[in-house]
Each structure stands twice: as structure tokens, then as C-alpha cells.
Amino acid sequence: QSNACQLSTIGRVRRVSANNFFWIQCIKSPRLRSLLFFEEFVPEEEMEKALPLTMQSYINNHDGESNNPLLLFVLLLGFSVILTKMRGLWKYMFNNFNFLRVLDYDRGGVAGCKLPNDIGKLIHLRFLGLSGLDFFSSKLPSSLGNLRCLQTLDLRIESICSDSIHVPNVLWRMQQLRHLYLPEECNRKTKLKLGTLRNLQTLVNFNTKNCYVKDLINMTNIRELEIRGPFNIEDFNTKELDKNPPIIQSKYLHSLSIINDEGRIDPRHLAHLLLSCENISKLRLDVEIRRLPEYHHLSSNLAYIKLRRCKLEEDPMLTLEKLLYLRMLELHEEAFIGKEMFCCGQAFAKLESLSLKGLNNLEEWKVGEEAMASLQRLEIQKCRRLKKLPDGLRFIATLQ
């Protein structure tokens, strides 16, 4: 903030990193390449400063007068002034920094009515990070499709007036995309074709309500995939799943997450998906499945597994102990709803970290003398019915 005013005299500056808010209209560098913001879009105290002094004074003097119609009018007028200034920030960026390669917001915050169409003028953008920004409109502009050079696009924004975001079907034009983060909840009208994104390495918040499962087949470079919401493959041959092509045809996929707050996942669909993930080392299932897929559906390379809210009725250890390279295992919040769990023989030989949280029905846990011989970290929380710690833990000399 102290030297922001000097930026107007530095015409050749290429990168600006702002840890505190300032009105960027003081930057007069048309060839700016990078803008990084580590403060809220417009902090609350700056919103107050943006109002005319007479308006500030009236609001302060009549604070708490909820029945005062004039105060309500002044507040609405002040709100309009702030939104206009926010829109001015966006318009200034999009119309004066046409050479921007990187635009990133780290702290989010209220960012105005909507993202202006003028963003389509930043045709040189490689990185666009909008995560955490709150807009009043739930619609993103179709001019996003002009950003053909984008390699990273983070659209994890939120709408103040709606629970979902509408993303126009223009992302297929960004064929250089490497990393795509979709909103957590997309509008039901959103239907995205992503089959042209063959260079994609990271895809977060993929949803079968808003995207096509078959498009995953074309993503032969995908490394990290997070599926959020229902996972249905109705556009496949659901009667004879083995006659369908593998959903994942990337040999590079190392991390798979499935998160669903809206109900169960069809175990056949899950098994067909996991069968095509031969090389994954990280698996996160935060969804009701009731039964763990059979061992041969799981990648033998799995080193990290997190199960949450799976409501498994059978002891998962009998399947998981067969994964020879498993190093970290987390069973959280009703991952298992049974009463007894067993780790026998030389099971989990390479397991280094085990976390049990919120297994409300677990009463007895048995650990054999030779089980978990490499365990270094053990965490048990809110397993309130667990009667005692397993006797077998005293044989584990590696615990730290």
C-alpha cells in the first residue's frame, strides 16, 4: 500500500504481487504479465472508504435504526456505489492489461455482480485463478471461450444468490488446458463437452450431471481426477459393463477421488471405473457404497486410501490388507459401521499411518502380533464404543 502510488511512474513493470488491497487503477503498465492478489477482492474496510464521506457519516450516525426508510435507501445506494467500483476494477484489468499471462486471486471475497464479458479480451492468459470469489450472478460469461491459451483454469467460485453456478459450454475450445477446477455445484442447465481436452492433467469437480463420462476416455494424460456428485454411466452399456471400453485410458492417473453427498453410488459403476485405474496410488472415497469393491478391482500400487461415510457393513481390513504397498489408511466418519475389525497375521506390512475417526459402532479391534510391523503413527478419535486398545499394539516397536 505504501508504494502503490509509485506504480504509476513505473511503466515497464511486468509482475505485481499484492499482499494488501489497493485500487489497481494506479497501475499504468500496459505490458503487465502477472497480477497476484493475496487479499480479499475488496476488504470490508475498503468498501466503507469507497463511499462518499456524507454517506459514511449518515450511516454511522443512524446505525441500528432498522425502521428508518431513508437509512435503507442510503444503504442500497451505497451498495450500488461499491458494486460499480468493483465492476470498475474488473473492467480496468480487462481493458488495460491485454498482455496478462497470469491472473490469480488467493483470498477470494465478494467480487461484484458478475464476471464481465470483457474477460474475453485477455487472450494471452495462461493461468486464471478465481477460487473463492463470490458473485451475485450465477452465470459465467461465454467470452471465457476466447481464452484459448489457458493452461490452468480455476472456476471454484460461488454465487451469493444461488447454490449453483452456470458454466457455458465453451471450455472445449481451450485445448491447451492442463488443469481444470470446476465449481463444486454446477447449474442443472450446465452441460459441458470436455472430450477435446486431451492435454488435461488435473480435473476437479467432474460431475456426470453436467459432463459426459465418455469424455474421460479422451483424456489420456489425466493424472488427478476428482468426481463430485452422482457418478452414473447411463450412456454406457450398463447391462454388460465388461463390453464397454475402460473409462480411464490414461496410464498416468495416480490420484482418484469420489465425493457424493447425494446418496449411494452404483457398486457396479464404481467397480468398472476402478478396474480401469490400474496405476493409481491415491484413492479417496467419500460416498456411501455399503460394500468395498473386491480386491482385484483395486490398483496394486495403492499407497494412500481414505474412506469416509462409506457405511461399509463388512470389515474392510480383510480386503485392504492385501494391498502390499499401502502406507497410509484413513477410515473416517462411518467409513465402517460394523462392530468388529481384525488385522491378523502379517497384514499391512508397510503401513506407516493409520487414522480411525468417527467409527461409532466399532466395539472390538484385534491386532495380531506380526500385523502392522512398520506402523509409525496411530490416531483414534470419537470411536466411543471401542472397549479397549488392541493388545497387539504392544508388539509394534516402530510407533512414534
Side-chain angles (χ1 to χ4, degrees):
Q1 185 67 38
S2 60
N3 63 3
C5 59
Q6 298 175 21
L7 289 171
S8 61
T9 63
I10 307 175
R12 298 185 64 181
V13 68
R14 292 291 182 268
R15 287 174 288 279
V16 172
S17 172
N19 293 293
N20 295 301
F21 174 84
F22 69 95
W23 297 99
I24 64 166
Q25 285 91 334
C26 63
I27 304 177
K28 309 295 183 184
S29 304
R31 294 189 174 273
L32 194 69
R33 297 296 196 273
S34 299
L35 263 176
L36 309 176
F37 297 101
F38 297 94
E39 179 57 277
E40 285 185 283
F41 189 79
V42 179
E44 189 174 337
E45 59 270 18
E46 291 295 332
M47 291 185 187
E48 295 175 2
K49 293 178 186 177
L51 298 175
L53 290 175
T54 52
M55 194 176 287
Q56 291 181 42
S57 177
Y58 186 86
I59 293 173
N60 292 332
N61 292 334
H62 296 82
D63 187 31
E65 298 180 11
S66 55
N67 295 323
N68 185 343
L70 184 57
L71 176 62
L72 179 61
F73 174 76
V74 172
L75 287 173
L76 289 174
L77 189 60
F79 188 59
S80 176
V81 170
I82 291 169
L83 289 180
T84 301
K85 284 186 174 287
M86 287 180 175
R87 182 172 177 80
L89 284 175
W90 288 117
K91 300 280 280 186
Y92 186 81
M93 273 191 292
F94 299 157
N95 288 286
N96 290 277
F97 305 141
N98 299 120
F99 291 92
L100 267 184
R101 301 312 199 258
V102 175
L103 177 58
D104 186 28
Y105 284 91
D106 190 70
R107 288 282 303 280
V110 178
C113 283
K114 63 179 182 178
L115 191 67
N117 280 319
D118 292 350
I119 192 172
K121 295 179 180 179
L122 303 183
I123 59 174
H124 299 290
L125 269 183
R126 267 55 166 187
F127 185 107
L128 178 59
L130 304 176
S131 179
L133 290 178
D134 297 328
F135 295 93
F136 284 88
S137 172
S138 62
K139 294 183 178 180
L140 288 169
S142 58
S143 61
L144 279 172
N146 295 344
L147 311 181
R148 308 287 182 90
C149 295
L150 271 181
Q151 296 180 10
T152 297
L153 176 59
D154 192 340
L155 295 177
R156 288 176 291 186
I157 67 172
E158 295 183 12
S159 170
I160 296 173
C161 300
S162 174
D163 294 330
S164 61
I165 302 295
H166 176 59
V167 183
N169 183 29
V170 295
L171 304 185
W172 62 269
R173 300 178 188 172
M174 305 173 184
Q175 297 183 23
Q176 295 189 44
L177 265 184
R178 305 290 193 275
H179 311 284
L180 175 59
Y181 303 85
L182 294 170
E184 281 195 12
E185 184 69 32
C186 286
N187 188 283
R188 58 185 177 82
K189 294 181 181 179
T190 297
K191 202 65 179 177
L192 302 174
K193 294 182 179 179
L194 305 176
T196 57
L197 307 183
R198 298 179 182 273
N199 293 312
L200 212 57
Q201 298 175 14
T202 305
L203 178 55
V204 171
N205 293 331
F206 179 87
N207 191 321
T208 56
K209 291 188 301 183
N210 309 111
C211 307
Y212 297 92
V213 175
K214 286 188 175 181
D215 287 345
L216 293 175
I217 296 174
N218 295 330
M219 300 176 190
T220 52
N221 289 293
I222 197 79
R223 287 158 167 74
E224 179 181 350
L225 174 62
E226 180 183 289
I227 298 170
R228 183 177 292 271
F231 181 74
N232 300 310
I233 52 176
E234 277 81 7
D235 48 344
F236 277 57
N237 180 353
T238 53
K239 293 183 179 179
E240 299 176 284
L241 282 172
D242 57 328
K243 293 187 177 181
N244 292 306
I247 296 175
I248 303 296
Q249 300 201 6
S250 168
K251 59 184 179 181
Y252 305 110
L253 185 72
H254 67 83
S255 176
L256 173 67
S257 300
I258 301 178
I259 306 164
N260 184 7
D261 301 323
E262 302 177 29
R264 298 179 63 178
I265 186 173
D266 189 319
R268 298 175 307 129
H269 295 179
L270 176 61
H272 185 64
L273 173 64
L274 290 174
L275 200 58
S276 64
C277 303
E278 298 178 357
N279 299 313
I280 59 170
S281 58
K282 296 180 180 180
L283 176 63
R284 178 187 176 198
L285 297 178
D286 188 351
V287 55
E288 183 180 340
I289 55 176
R290 294 286 176 177
R291 185 188 182 101
L292 203 62
E294 295 180 15
Y295 164 70
H296 67 271
H297 289 116
L298 301 173
S299 166
S300 59
N301 296 318
L302 279 168
Y304 169 83
I305 294 180
K306 179 174 182 178
L307 304 179
R308 180 174 179 264
R309 299 184 303 177
C310 296
K311 296 187 178 180
L312 299 174
E313 297 169 344
E314 298 179 3
D315 184 359
M317 297 302 191
L318 300 176
T319 298
L320 299 177
E321 67 181 12
K322 298 175 183 177
L323 299 171
L324 301 180
Y325 299 102
L326 192 62
R327 296 182 181 275
M328 295 181 66
L329 175 60
E330 299 178 0
L331 303 178
H332 291 177
E333 293 181 45
E334 295 189 316
F336 172 54
I337 58 175
K339 294 182 179 181
E340 297 180 337
M341 199 161 65
F342 300 92
C343 301
C344 303
Q346 296 180 338
F348 300 104
K350 293 192 176 182
L351 193 70
E352 297 173 359
S353 176
L354 175 62
S355 176
L356 308 177
K357 291 184 183 179
L359 305 184
N360 297 323
N361 296 332
L362 184 63
E363 296 179 2
E364 187 173 11
W365 177 30
K366 292 183 178 180
V367 176
E369 289 188 20
E370 298 180 333
M372 300 189 291
S374 302
L375 194 67
Q376 298 176 20
R377 180 181 181 275
L378 173 63
E379 179 181 28
I380 304 175
Q381 285 189 38
K382 297 182 180 179
C383 298
R384 295 187 173 92
R385 295 186 182 178
L386 187 62
K387 297 174 182 177
K388 64 176 183 176
L389 290 175
D391 291 335
L393 288 181
R394 60 194 174 94
F395 298 105
I396 302 177
T398 51
L399 266 176
Q400 297 176 11

